[in-house]
Amino acid sequence: MMMNQGGITETLAPPGTNSLEDRHVIDARHGQPSSYSSSTVGSEAPSWTPHSVNNSFTGNGYSSGSTYGFEQQAQPPRRDDINSATEASSLSLGSTSVPQDYNGYMTYQNPTNSYGYGTTGYTGYYSGYQQQSNQSYSQPAGAYQSTGSPYQPISSFQNTGSYAVPPSYSNTYYGPGDYQTAGTYPNSTYSTQTTWNDGNYANYNTYQYSNYPSTSSAYGSGNSASAPAQYQPQYKQWTDYYAQSEVNCAPGMENLSVASSSNPECPTPGVPDGTQASNSQPPPTAVPSWRPEPGPSGLPSQQPSVVASAGHDNYWKQHAAPGFQNHNSAAGQSTYYQPLDSKNAYGSYSDGQNSTSNQGPNLQYPIVHQVPQIHQAPQQISPTLDPRRGSKVQIQTNPRIVSNLALGLTKTDKAGSATMAVAKPAYIGVSLPKPSDKALSGDASDPALKPATFPKSLRGYVERALARCKDDAQIAASQEVLKELITSATADGTLYTQDWDAKPLFPLPEMDGLSNTFQSPLPLPTLRRSPGRRTKSRWEPLPEEKLVNKTPPLMTEPVKYGGYMNNRNRKPFVGNSESKDGLNTTNFLAVEQKTASFQKPFKRQRLSNSLTTADNGDASSDSDKESSLTAFYSGAIGFSNTPEERKKRESRSKRFEKAHGSRVEISHFKPKSAGSANLYARRATAIVLSKTFEESGSKAVEDIDWDALTVRGTCQEIEKRYLRLTSAPDPATVRPEEVLEKALAMVQNSQKNYLYKCDQLKSIRQDLTVQRIRNKLTVKVYETHARLALEVGDLPEYNQCQSQLKTLYAEGIEGCHMEFSAYNLLCVILHSNNYRDLLSSMSRLSNDAKNDKAVKHALAVRRAVTSGNYVMFFGLYRTAPNLNSCLMDLFVDKMRYKAVNCMCRSYRPTVPVSYVAKVLGFAYASSANGGSDEKDSVGLEECVDWLKAHGACLAADNNGEMQLDTKASSSSLYIPEPGDAVAHGDSTLAVNDFLTRASS
Amino acid sequence: MAYPSMGEAHRRVTDYLGRFSDAVSTQDVASLKPLLSLSSASPSLLSLADALNLLQDAIRLIKQSEKWSQLAEIVAPLFRCLQSYRLSNLADAYPAYEKAANAFIQEFRNWDSAWALEALYVIAYEIRVLAERADRELSANGKLPEKLKAAGSFLMKVFGVLAGKGPKRVGALYMTCQLFKIYFKLGTVHLCRSVIRSIETARIFDFEEFPQRDKVTYMYYTGRLEVYNENFTAAEQKLSYALAHCNPHSEANIRMILKYLIPVKLSIGILPKDWLLEKYNLVEYRNIVLALKRGDLRLLRSALEEHEDRFLRSGVYLVLEKLELQVYQRLLKKIYIIQKQKDPSKAHQMKLEVIIKALKWLEIDMDLDEVECIVAILIHKNLVKGYFAHKSKVVVLSKQDPFPKLTGRPVNA
C-alpha cells in the first residue's frame, strides 16, 4: 500500500510533470480526436491517429504514455458518441457496452499484469493496439504477455490521462457514463485482482458505481434511471458525485467514503480524461483486436478498456493498498483513479456509443472492416448481446452495469468469501467484465453487424450448452469450449453456415481435477455466477444478460483469465511492494518483468493467493476487509521498506531498464513518489506500520544481542514436530539439552520411516540452534541426520548437515570426522565435475585422513572415476565402508554406461553378458542377499535389461549364452531418458520414489 | 625512532602536499608514483608518516591551500593510511588506502588522457599487497581475513574504469592480472571468467597492444585455468605464449610457467629434456618423465606420492595422474617389442597373462579383470590400436602402428 500511495503521490505531484507531459501530448491529440468526435467517423479517424501517436510514445519506452494516448483517443470517440449519440437508447447501450468492455478490459489487464511484458506488449500495442489485445485473447500466453506490458503503460497512462483529461472533459458528461463503465470495470477487474486490490477494487467499484449511476443517468437517462439521476447531480459536482457514489458504494465497500473525498479533488479532471481516453481508445483498440482474432472481437473494445482497466487496476491497487483511507486522504490519487475509471468507462462508452449511434458504428465499421474479418468472431459474440440490447437495450445494459458494479463490489466479496476467496473474486470480476466487454465491444464496434454476426441458432446452442451446467466450474469449462467452438467456427467461416440447432452439444467438461494452477479458471466461473445471480435478483432481464455474460466468457478463455488473474495478483502485489517508490508504472514494470519469467510468477502466486485470501476475508465483512487489507498492505510495505528488499527490487528492476525504455522513466518516477509519500496522512500511518515491520524484520537478522536472546528451553516433551520459526522462540516449546539427547536416542531407535525421523531431527536441530548448543551432541545429531539422509538419498538434507558438520568439526568438536570427510570427498568427486574443487579438497586432507579407511576408499573411488576404471570402481563399490556406497550409487549408472561404451569399442567380436554383469556390479547387486548362482542369474537378467534399455545389441551364441555384440552396439548405445525424470533433475528425489523408499 | 620537531613535521607534510599537488597539476606521473607507493617503504614516506603521527592535525594543513584541498579526498585518507601503516596497523591502513584509491580513480575518471595510468598501477599493486598483509595480520589475530576480497571488488571497479574504449584501455590487462592474482590466492578462480570474457571478446582493442609483461602474466594465469579445466591444447598454447614472451632473464617467472607447461606437455606426449628440469629446478618431474620413458608404473606412482602435496597445491596432480595410461602404453609397447624379437609372426597377439606378469615384476598386483579393463581403456582411448578378445584373453594389436604416438594431441577423453 505504501508503495501504491507513494506511486500515487508521485503521479500526483511529479506525475503531474511526467504524466502531464505525456498527457499533454495526448491531449493535443485528443484535441484532434475531439474535433473528430463530433462525427463518429471523425472520431474514429482521430482515434487512429492518436493511436499512432501513442504508439510512437510507447516506442519511446513510455508504454504508459502510449496507453494514455490510447485511452485519450478512446475517450474522444466516446464523447462524440455520447454527444452525438446521447440518444437515450444509444446512450444506455453505450453505457452498458462500456461496462462490458471494461470488464473485458479488466481481463486484459490481468493478462498484461501477469505477463509483465510491458515492452513487447507495448510494441504490439503501439503498432496495433487492437491487434495486441486480440492476439492476447486468441493466444492466451502470447496475448497475456503483450497485454501485460500494455498494462503497465496503461496504468501510467491512466494517470496521465486523467490529468490531461480534466480540463478538456469537464464539459463531457461522459464522465458519468465513463464512471459507470469504470464501475463495471472495476467490478470485473477488481474481482480478478481482488486479493490485493480488493480494497482498491471495492473503492473502485464504489467509485465507479457512483460515477456510473451519474453517467448512466446523464447518458442513458432511461437506462439506469435511478443511478442516472444521482449521477447527473454528481456530474455537475464531481465531489458530489463521488459522495453519491460513496453512498452507492457504501453497501459494497468502505471505499465509497474514500471515493467521495477523492472525487472532490480530481473528479473533473479525471472524468474528462477518462472520457477522452476511453473514446479514443475504443476505436483503435477495437480495430486491432478484431483483426488479430475474431473471437476476441469483444477484445478490441476490451483492450482499450483493459488498458484503462489495467491502469485502473494499478491505480486501484495502489489506492487499495494504502487503504481506503488513502483514497480519502489522497484525493489527488483517487481522482487519478477516477479519471482512469472514467477513461475506462469512456472507452466502453465510446464503444457503446459507437455501436448505439449509427455514426459511431459506421466509423468504427470501416476501421473494423479494414482490420479484418477477424471481426466477425467478436461480432458474433456481440450479436447475442446486441439482440438483447436492441430489445431490452437500455434497461438491460443498465442493469448489467449496475449488476456488474454491485457484483464487483459486494458480490465479488461475497462470492469470494463463499467460494474460493482468493482466486474467485478476482476471477469473477474479470470474467464478468470480459464477457460484457466483449459483447459491448462487439456492439460498439459493429453495432449493426453484431446482431447479424451471431446467428440465433448459435445463441441457442450456447444457451443449451450452458443450461445443462450444474455449477460454476462447469459453466466456465463449457464457456471455454464454446469459445473455442465459436472461434474455430469463425475462423472456418462456418459460423453462419453451420446448423447450430442441430449440432450436438459437446460433452460436459470435467472440472474436478483442476489443480491449484487452474484455480483461476474456476474462480472465473464463480465470479460469473455471482454476477449472474445478482443480476437476476436485481434485474428481471437477467437471463439475457446472463447469456451475454456467458458468451463473452466463452469467447475469452477462462484459462487465460486464470493466468491473468495470477498475473494481476502478482502485479498488484508487486505494485504494492514497490509502491514505495510511489510509481505505479514502475511497480508494474517491475512486476511485469518479473512475471516475464514464468517461474517467478509462480512464486508470486503464493503471495497473490495470500493476498486474495485476505481479500476474501475482507469481502466477507467490510470492516474486516479494511483491517485485513491494511494489515496486508502494511505487511507488504514492511517488506518493501526493508532496505535490502528495496535494493534487491531496484537491482531487479534495473536489470530491465536496459531492455525497456519505459523503465528509465519509472526510475525517474520513483524518487518523486518517494518524496511525495509524506504528503498524505494515511500514507504516514502506513509508513509507520511499515516501519514497525521494518524494525522487527531487520532486528531479527542483524542487530540482535544473541546472548541476551539465547533461549533456555523448558519443554520436557521428547517428541516434537518441526516447525519453521517465524518469531522468537518460546522457551516453553524448546527442549533443553538433556531432553534433546533423549529425543535423539528416540529417533535412532525409532522404527518409523525417514520422513518422521527427518522431521524429528530437524526439530532437534532447531532446538539446538536456538539454544546455541554446539557440542558433541550437536555433532551427533547432524551426523545421525546426515546418515539417514544418505541412506534414503535425500541429498539436500544431507548437504545441510554436511556443511554444518564442517564448521562444527572446524571448531574442534569431536565426531566421525573421517567418515564425513570421505562423504564430502565422494560428493565432490561424483557431483561436481570441478577439478579445482577436487584438488582443494584433496589438498586439505591431513595425513591422518589419508590413512583413514573411509577416506582411502573415497580417494580410490576418485581414481577409478577419473581414470574410468570400471572394474576398480565396482570392486570398491563392493567393499565400501560406512555409507560410501550410498553416494556411489548415484554414480553407478554413469559409470556403467561409460564402461559399456569402452567395452564396445575395445572388445571383438563379443563379450559375454555374464562377464559384463560381473564387472559392472550387477551380479553383486542381486547376490547381496545370498546364494551365488541364483543371484548371478538375477544379476544377469538385470544386466540384460539394462543393456537393452541402453540400446546394446545382444545375441545368444551357440551355447545359448547371451553375448554383447560389441561392434553393432558401439554405434547404437544411448542414454535412455530417465523414466522417473523429475523437474529438479534428481530422480532420487522424486516424491513417489522418495516416499516409497522412505516408508520402507 | 627519533621524532622530528613540530616544525620539521610541518615542513615534511607541506612538502609532500606540494609535491603531490604539483605532480597532479603537471601530470607528472613519474613523481606521483613514489608518493603513492606505500610498500616501497621509501625513507621519505616513512619520515612523512612519523611527521603525521606527530602532527595530528594534518587535515587542517590540507585545507589551508586551495590547491591542496582539491586533493583532500585523496590525500586525507592517504595520510591516515600512512599513520596506521607506520604503526603497523595494517587492518586500519587498508581501508584508508582504499578510500584514497577510490578518490583517485574518481579523479582519474575525469582525466581525459591516461597519463596517470602508471600511478593507477601502483595503487592497484599497493591495494593488493596491502590487503594480503592486512589479511595475514587479521588471521593472526583470529579475525576474519576479508581485505583481499575487498581488494578484489575494488580492483574490479578499477577494471571497469579502464575497460572502456579509449587510451585507458591499455591498463585493463594490468588490472586483470592483479585480479587473477587475488582470485587465485582466494581460490575463487571462477570469478576470472567475467574479466577474461571482457578481455577476449572486446574487438575494440587488440590483445597484442597490451604491454608485454601484462600479456605474459595474463597468458600464464589463463593457461593455468585451462589446466584446471583439463583443456590441454589451450593450456599448452597459452603457456607456450607466456614462455616465449617472458623475459628470459626472469628465471623465477620462467620456472613458474614451466611448472604448468611441463605437465601439460607431458600429457600430450612431449617430454622435456633433463637439463631443462635441472636448470629451472623442476626436479620433481624428473621421475615422472623417467617413468614415462620406461613404462615404469611403479616409478610414476612413487613419484606422484612423493610430491603429492606439491602437485596438489599447484593443481597439476590430476594431470600427472592421468599419465598412467601413457605409462601402460609404454609398457605394452615394450612387451610388444620383446615379443617381436622372439617371434615376429605372433608379436601382435599379446596375452593378458604376459601383461600381468610384467606388472608383477613392477610389484604391482592386479587381477585379470583389472588388467583387462586397463587394456580396454587403452584401446578405447586410442592409445593402443587393436582389439581385445575376451574368450582367449588376448590383445590383438593392429599390425600397423599399434601404439600411436600422441605428438601434441591430448589423450582422447
Side-chain angles (χ1 to χ4, degrees):
Chain A
M1 297 314 292
M2 295 289 291
M3 295 293 290
N4 290 329
Q5 293 177 357
I8 295 165
T9 54
E10 287 180 355
T11 52
L12 288 171
T17 57
N18 295 329
S19 58
L20 282 175
E21 291 177 1
D22 295 342
R23 293 169 185 172
H24 283 300
V25 179
I26 298 165
D27 287 349
R29 296 173 185 175
H30 283 302
Q32 295 177 359
S34 63
S35 63
Y36 284 107
S37 65
S38 57
S39 64
T40 49
V41 179
S43 66
E44 288 183 354
S47 67
W48 281 92
T49 53
H51 280 299
S52 64
V53 177
N54 290 329
N55 291 330
S56 63
F57 273 2
T58 52
N60 292 332
Y62 260 52
S63 56
S64 62
S66 60
T67 52
Y68 269 115
F70 278 108
E71 290 179 356
Q72 291 178 355
Q73 292 176 0
Q75 289 179 355
R78 290 180 182 175
R79 287 181 178 177
D80 293 346
D81 293 345
I82 299 169
N83 295 327
S84 62
T86 16
E87 306 159 7
S89 63
S90 64
L91 284 173
S92 62
L93 288 169
S95 64
T96 54
S97 63
V98 174
Q100 291 177 356
D101 290 348
Y102 279 114
N103 292 329
Y105 281 112
M106 293 295 285
T107 56
Y108 279 109
Q109 291 176 351
N110 288 329
T112 52
N113 288 328
S114 60
Y115 282 93
Y117 260 58
T119 46
T120 53
Y122 280 113
T123 57
Y125 274 111
Y126 298 134
S127 59
Y129 219 76
Q130 298 171 353
Q131 289 181 357
Q132 288 182 351
S133 63
N134 289 330
Q135 289 177 356
S136 63
Y137 279 107
S138 61
Q139 302 174 354
Y144 284 111
Q145 293 178 350
S146 58
T147 52
S149 56
Y151 240 116
Q152 294 178 353
I154 293 172
S155 62
S156 61
F157 279 110
Q158 290 179 351
N159 291 327
T160 55
S162 62
Y163 281 112
V165 177
S168 58
Y169 286 85
S170 56
N171 10 340
T172 53
Y173 277 8
Y174 298 112
D178 291 347
Y179 281 114
Q180 292 179 355
T181 50
T184 56
Y185 278 107
N187 290 331
S188 59
T189 44
Y190 288 120
S191 58
T192 50
Q193 297 176 351
T194 20
T195 51
W196 279 98
N197 296 319
D198 276 344
N200 299 323
Y201 283 114
N203 294 328
Y204 273 107
N205 289 328
T206 56
Y207 284 119
Q208 293 175 355
Y209 274 110
S210 60
N211 294 328
Y212 279 112
S214 60
T215 53
S216 64
S217 62
Y219 284 111
S221 62
N223 292 337
S224 52
S226 62
Q230 294 176 353
Y231 285 110
Q232 290 175 353
Q234 290 176 357
Y235 256 27
K236 296 171 183 177
Q237 300 176 353
W238 284 99
T239 55
D240 293 343
Y241 279 119
Y242 282 100
Q244 290 179 359
S245 61
E246 288 180 2
V247 176
N248 296 331
C249 300
M253 305 293 289
E254 300 170 357
N255 294 323
L256 293 170
S257 63
V258 177
S260 62
S261 65
S262 63
N263 287 327
E265 293 182 357
C266 340
T268 39
V271 173
D273 290 349
T275 53
Q276 291 178 358
S278 63
N279 288 330
S280 60
Q281 287 180 354
T285 55
V287 176
S289 63
W290 289 93
R291 290 175 183 174
E293 292 182 4
S297 63
L299 295 177
S301 59
Q302 290 181 352
Q303 290 179 346
S305 61
V306 173
V307 177
S309 60
H312 287 297
D313 289 351
N314 296 328
Y315 285 109
W316 290 106
K317 290 176 179 180
Q318 294 177 351
H319 287 296
F324 297 109
Q325 297 175 355
N326 291 329
H327 281 293
N328 292 325
S329 63
Q333 295 177 2
S334 61
T335 50
Y336 284 111
Y337 292 116
Q338 291 174 358
L340 293 171
D341 291 346
S342 64
K343 288 177 182 179
N344 293 327
Y346 280 113
S348 58
Y349 272 107
S350 63
D351 291 345
Q353 291 175 357
N354 288 332
S355 62
T356 52
S357 65
N358 295 331
Q359 296 174 354
N362 290 332
L363 292 169
Q364 290 178 353
Y365 268 102
I367 298 168
V368 175
H369 286 298
Q370 291 174 354
V371 177
Q373 304 89 4
I374 300 169
H375 249 315
Q376 295 176 349
Q379 288 179 357
Q380 293 174 355
I381 300 172
S382 59
T384 55
L385 293 170
D386 287 343
R388 296 175 186 173
R389 289 180 181 176
S391 59
K392 303 177 180 180
V393 182
Q394 295 174 353
I395 298 171
Q396 289 180 353
T397 54
N398 288 327
R400 287 178 189 170
I401 298 169
V402 176
S403 64
N404 287 334
L405 291 168
L407 289 169
L409 292 170
T410 56
K411 281 190 176 180
T412 38
D413 293 340
K414 294 176 181 177
S417 60
T419 54
M420 325 200 8
V422 179
K424 288 178 179 180
Y427 282 106
I428 295 168
V430 176
S431 65
L432 286 168
K434 286 181 179 179
S436 58
D437 287 350
K438 289 179 180 178
L440 290 169
S441 65
D443 292 344
S445 59
D446 302 279
L449 292 175
K450 287 178 180 178
T453 48
F454 242 158
K456 259 190 183 175
S457 58
L458 174 55
R459 252 181 284 147
Y461 181 79
V462 170
E463 282 180 21
R464 271 186 287 129
L466 294 180
R468 64 197 169 124
C469 295
K470 290 167 202 148
D471 57 25
D472 298 336
Q474 282 193 342
I475 290 174
S478 303
Q479 283 173 343
E480 180 136 19
V481 176
L482 282 171
K483 210 200 309 171
E484 280 176 22
L485 271 178
I486 294 169
T487 346
S488 65
T490 319
D492 296 344
T494 57
L495 187 68
Y496 296 100
T497 54
Q498 195 161 358
D499 186 355
W500 291 99
D501 290 320
K503 189 177 169 78
L505 286 175
F506 52 85
L508 263 181
E510 273 296 325
M511 298 297 293
D512 293 343
L514 288 179
S515 60
N516 292 333
T517 46
F518 288 96
Q519 286 180 351
S520 54
L522 287 168
L524 284 171
T526 56
L527 289 169
R528 291 172 186 171
R529 260 198 179 181
S530 62
R533 290 173 188 170
R534 275 213 166 176
T535 51
K536 277 187 180 180
S537 60
R538 286 190 182 179
W539 305 87
E540 292 186 351
L542 286 177
E544 287 188 0
E545 287 184 359
K546 283 182 177 178
L547 285 171
V548 176
N549 289 332
K550 289 174 181 177
T551 49
L554 291 170
M555 298 296 285
T556 57
E557 292 181 4
V559 179
K560 292 177 180 179
Y561 283 115
Y564 283 122
M565 292 294 287
N566 291 332
N567 289 329
R568 278 189 182 176
N569 289 333
R570 295 169 191 168
K571 287 183 177 180
F573 178 68
V574 175
N576 291 330
S577 60
E578 292 184 349
S579 54
K580 288 181 176 179
D581 294 335
L583 278 201
N584 296 329
T585 50
T586 52
N587 292 330
F588 277 102
L589 292 168
V591 175
E592 289 180 1
Q593 296 169 355
K594 293 172 180 177
T595 48
S597 69
F598 262 97
Q599 294 178 346
K600 287 179 179 175
F602 278 115
K603 283 180 189 163
R604 295 239 165 129
Q605 268 190 341
R606 260 190 248 151
L607 291 172
S608 65
N609 287 336
S610 63
L611 290 170
T612 51
T613 49
D615 287 345
N616 292 328
D618 290 345
S620 59
S621 74
D622 291 338
S623 60
D624 284 356
K625 271 188 183 177
E626 254 204 5
S627 59
S628 64
L629 274 175
T630 50
F632 264 102
Y633 285 125
S634 60
I637 293 165
F639 267 120
S640 57
N641 278 343
T642 51
E644 297 93 331
E645 266 299 301
R646 209 184 296 148
K647 263 189 204 160
K648 274 188 207 160
R649 227 169 264 128
E650 274 174 12
S651 65
R652 258 179 271 148
S653 61
K654 267 181 196 163
R655 257 189 268 149
F656 293 89
E657 276 183 12
K658 289 175 188 168
H660 303 282
S662 57
R663 302 272 162 69
V664 179
E665 291 186 358
I666 295 168
S667 64
H668 288 304
F669 276 101
K670 285 180 178 181
K672 293 179 180 179
S673 62
S676 58
N678 290 326
L679 295 176
Y680 298 94
R682 298 193 181 158
R683 282 189 187 170
T685 59
I687 289 168
V688 172
L689 269 176
S690 66
K691 267 188 183 168
T692 59
F693 267 88
E694 217 173 30
E695 280 166 14
S696 60
S698 60
K699 240 190 187 176
V701 186
E702 280 158 6
D703 305 327
I704 297 183
D705 177 3
W706 291 107
D707 286 325
L709 286 177
T710 300
V711 177
R712 291 251 131 257
T714 59
C715 176
Q716 295 299 315
E717 300 272 323
I718 288 174
E719 202 175 5
K720 178 186 162 189
R721 293 223 58 178
Y722 172 71
L723 193 70
R724 191 175 178 145
L725 284 177
T726 53
S727 60
D730 175 6
T733 62
V734 173
R735 294 163 289 183
E737 193 174 336
E738 322 85 71
V739 180
L740 289 174
E741 256 172 75
K742 286 181 201 158
L744 178 62
M746 183 273 290
V747 172
Q748 280 172 331
N749 299 324
S750 166
Q751 298 300 314
K752 298 193 182 171
N753 68 17
Y754 171 71
L755 287 182
Y756 168 81
K757 290 181 181 172
C758 178
D759 187 68
Q760 290 297 315
L761 284 166
K762 277 170 91 85
S763 79
I764 296 173
R765 280 161 51 185
Q766 185 187 57
D767 285 355
L768 288 168
T769 309
V770 157
Q771 300 176 86
R772 301 172 73 208
I773 299 172
R774 292 175 81 80
N775 55 22
K776 278 187 182 176
L777 174 67
T778 319
V779 170
K780 229 168 143 189
V781 168
Y782 279 103
E783 283 176 353
T784 308
H785 198 177
R787 288 191 195 111
L788 281 173
L790 272 186
E791 277 170 27
V792 298
D794 184 1
L795 277 185
E797 208 62 57
Y798 162 78
N799 284 333
Q800 278 183 29
C801 296
Q802 175 72 277
S803 64
Q804 274 299 321
L805 282 171
K806 229 186 236 173
T807 60
L808 287 167
Y809 291 144
E811 287 170 21
I813 304 168
E814 280 177 37
C816 306
H817 193 163
M818 293 308 157
E819 179 187 344
F820 280 90
S821 38
Y823 297 154
N824 185 44
L825 210 55
L826 283 171
C827 264
V828 176
I829 297 160
L830 304 178
H831 292 288
S832 76
N833 212 6
N834 187 326
Y835 287 104
R836 224 200 114 69
D837 285 352
L838 183 53
L839 282 166
S840 63
S841 349
M842 283 173 71
S843 60
R844 254 179 279 139
L845 290 173
S846 64
N847 279 334
D848 280 353
K850 280 175 189 165
N851 291 324
D852 181 83
K853 188 184 162 206
V855 176
K856 262 187 177 168
H857 177 266
L859 286 171
V861 171
R862 202 268 315 151
R863 280 169 77 88
V865 170
T866 47
S867 65
N869 192 326
Y870 47 89
V871 171
M872 191 175 162
F873 180 87
F874 287 101
L876 288 165
Y877 184 86
R878 237 163 301 178
T879 60
N882 301 327
L883 298 169
N884 282 13
S885 62
C886 291
L887 281 164
M888 290 174 77
D889 271 335
L890 304 170
F891 208 72
V892 158
D893 232 33
K894 232 191 231 175
M895 204 67 200
R896 280 176 179 164
Y897 181 76
K898 271 167 123 179
V900 172
N901 239 330
C902 173
M903 285 180 179
C904 286
R905 175 98 200 270
S906 32
Y907 284 80
R908 291 290 183 275
T910 58
V911 192
V913 173
S914 58
Y915 174 75
V916 177
K918 180 184 132 202
V919 163
L920 298 189
F922 284 104
Y924 169 73
S926 53
S927 65
N929 305 338
S932 50
D933 289 348
E934 203 177 312
K935 317 266 155 108
D936 280 352
S937 68
V938 179
L940 193 64
E941 273 173 42
E942 202 188 329
C943 182
V944 168
D945 289 345
W946 189 90
L947 286 172
K948 280 180 180 166
H950 287 73
C953 297
L954 303 177
D957 67 358
N958 298 333
N959 301 329
E961 210 191 337
M962 278 295 246
Q963 301 281 345
L964 172 66
D965 185 339
T966 52
K967 197 167 187 180
S969 299
S970 61
S971 56
S972 65
L973 284 177
Y974 66 93
I975 298 175
E977 290 286 323
D980 52 349
V982 284
H984 41 78
D986 186 352
S987 59
T988 58
L989 296 177
V991 171
N992 288 334
D993 191 31
F994 182 78
L995 290 177
T996 49
R997 276 185 299 153
S999 58
S1000 58
Chain B
M1 204 188 306
Y3 281 103
S5 69
M6 282 299 275
E8 171 69 7
H10 189 277
R11 193 192 59 73
R12 284 182 192 170
V13 172
T14 50
D15 178 54
Y16 179 89
L17 284 170
R19 282 197 288 155
F20 197 98
S21 139
D22 287 350
V24 169
S25 58
T26 59
Q27 306 208 332
D28 178 6
V29 75
S31 48
L32 185 60
K33 270 161 66 179
L35 301 178
L36 296 165
S37 180
L38 205 58
S39 62
S40 66
S42 67
S44 68
L45 274 184
L46 290 182
S47 60
L48 173 68
D50 289 337
L52 286 168
N53 278 331
L54 186 70
L55 198 75
Q56 290 297 336
D57 58 349
I59 309 299
R60 198 172 46 81
L61 269 181
I62 300 170
K63 298 247 165 75
Q64 276 177 355
S65 158
E66 176 81 8
K67 250 165 65 181
W68 299 344
S69 59
Q70 280 176 349
L71 300 168
E73 297 265 306
I74 303 172
V75 179
L78 201 56
F79 281 0
R80 273 204 307 282
C81 168
L82 273 168
Q83 286 174 280
S84 306
Y85 186 82
R86 190 65 178 141
L87 302 172
S88 293
N89 186 352
L90 298 174
D92 286 343
Y94 173 78
Y97 197 85
E98 193 188 289
K99 208 170 174 195
N102 210 7
F104 186 83
I105 63 166
Q106 291 304 330
E107 286 299 315
F108 184 81
R109 221 192 284 264
N110 296 331
W111 293 323
D112 288 332
S113 76
W115 70 269
L117 210 53
E118 292 285 327
L120 203 59
Y121 291 167
V122 171
I123 287 177
Y125 176 80
E126 293 297 333
I127 282 267
R128 180 176 67 82
V129 172
L130 193 57
E132 281 171 14
R133 294 176 61 184
D135 271 359
R136 236 171 288 151
E137 183 190 297
L138 281 172
S139 50
N141 295 338
K143 286 181 197 154
L144 196 64
E146 54 188 9
K147 300 302 180 201
L148 196 55
K149 219 168 147 190
S153 49
F154 175 77
L155 289 185
M156 199 66 201
K157 200 164 132 194
V158 182
F159 178 80
V161 174
L162 298 173
K165 273 185 190 170
K168 294 174 188 170
R169 172 139 187 118
V170 158
L173 201 60
Y174 183 85
M175 294 306 150
T176 308
C177 295
Q178 294 298 321
L179 281 170
F180 280 165
K181 285 176 188 173
I182 290 174
Y183 292 153
F184 272 81
K185 187 150 267 178
L186 288 175
T188 54
V189 287
H190 57 278
L191 294 173
C192 297
R193 231 181 316 159
S194 63
V195 227
I196 292 174
R197 205 183 309 129
S198 103
I199 289 290
E200 296 195 344
T201 58
R203 294 272 171 273
I204 48 168
F205 198 91
D206 188 9
F207 183 75
E208 287 303 321
E209 289 176 50
F210 286 117
Q212 184 86 303
R213 59 154 192 197
D214 296 340
K215 283 190 288 183
V216 170
T217 315
Y218 177 83
M219 283 303 191
Y220 166 73
Y221 279 110
T222 50
R224 279 185 66 181
L225 284 175
E226 297 295 355
V227 174
Y228 285 139
N229 299 334
E230 308 236 311
N231 190 350
F232 296 131
T233 318
E236 197 260 343
Q237 267 171 12
K238 288 181 189 289
L239 291 169
S240 296
Y241 180 99
L243 184 67
H245 294 80
C246 187
N247 183 341
H249 298 298
S250 52
E251 294 199 2
N253 285 349
I254 291 179
R255 182 175 183 272
M256 280 169 76
I257 296 169
L258 285 175
K259 214 161 119 186
Y260 293 92
L261 188 57
I262 288 173
V264 169
K265 289 258 189 193
L266 288 177
S267 70
I268 59 175
I270 298 168
L271 308 187
K273 295 265 188 301
D274 205 39
W275 64 263
L276 187 78
L277 302 179
E278 293 279 345
K279 181 176 178 190
Y280 292 102
N281 193 25
L282 293 163
V283 284
E284 66 259 36
Y285 292 125
R286 191 186 278 158
N287 279 340
I288 289 169
V289 175
L290 211 57
L292 275 172
K293 280 181 183 163
R294 292 184 187 162
D296 187 344
L297 193 60
R298 183 180 44 176
L299 187 60
L300 178 75
R301 288 188 177 173
S302 69
L304 271 176
E305 203 175 320
E306 188 186 341
H307 301 289
E308 187 181 277
D309 284 343
R310 186 191 299 222
F311 293 146
L312 276 176
R313 248 182 291 119
S314 65
V316 295
Y317 183 85
L318 297 180
V319 180
L320 296 173
E321 198 188 56
K322 290 205 166 177
L323 297 175
E324 213 171 79
L325 281 182
Q326 285 190 61
V327 175
Y328 278 120
Q329 183 203 32
R330 190 81 189 172
L331 181 66
L332 259 63
K333 193 171 177 182
K334 289 205 159 177
I335 297 171
Y336 172 74
I337 290 167
I338 294 169
Q339 283 187 351
K340 218 171 172 183
Q341 285 168 353
K342 278 186 176 172
D343 184 359
S345 61
K346 283 191 177 175
H348 66 280
Q349 288 192 1
M350 196 183 295
K351 286 185 180 156
L352 217 51
E353 285 169 19
V354 178
I355 303 172
I356 293 172
K357 206 180 272 175
L359 286 170
K360 274 227 172 81
W361 287 336
L362 291 170
E363 291 170 3
I364 288 173
D365 200 17
M366 287 171 87
D367 68 19
L368 203 69
D369 283 345
E370 278 182 84
V371 178
E372 195 175 321
C373 175
I374 297 288
V375 171
I377 292 170
L378 284 174
I379 298 171
H380 178 61
K381 304 239 177 197
N382 209 24
L383 285 166
V384 170
K385 270 168 124 185
Y387 65 86
F388 187 79
H390 178 74
K391 239 186 221 167
S392 46
K393 302 281 178 197
V394 166
V395 190
V396 182
L397 299 169
S398 160
K399 284 181 180 160
Q400 212 175 1
D401 190 18
F403 301 100
K405 281 190 175 146
L406 287 170
T407 57
R409 87 195 141 71
V411 175
N412 286 346

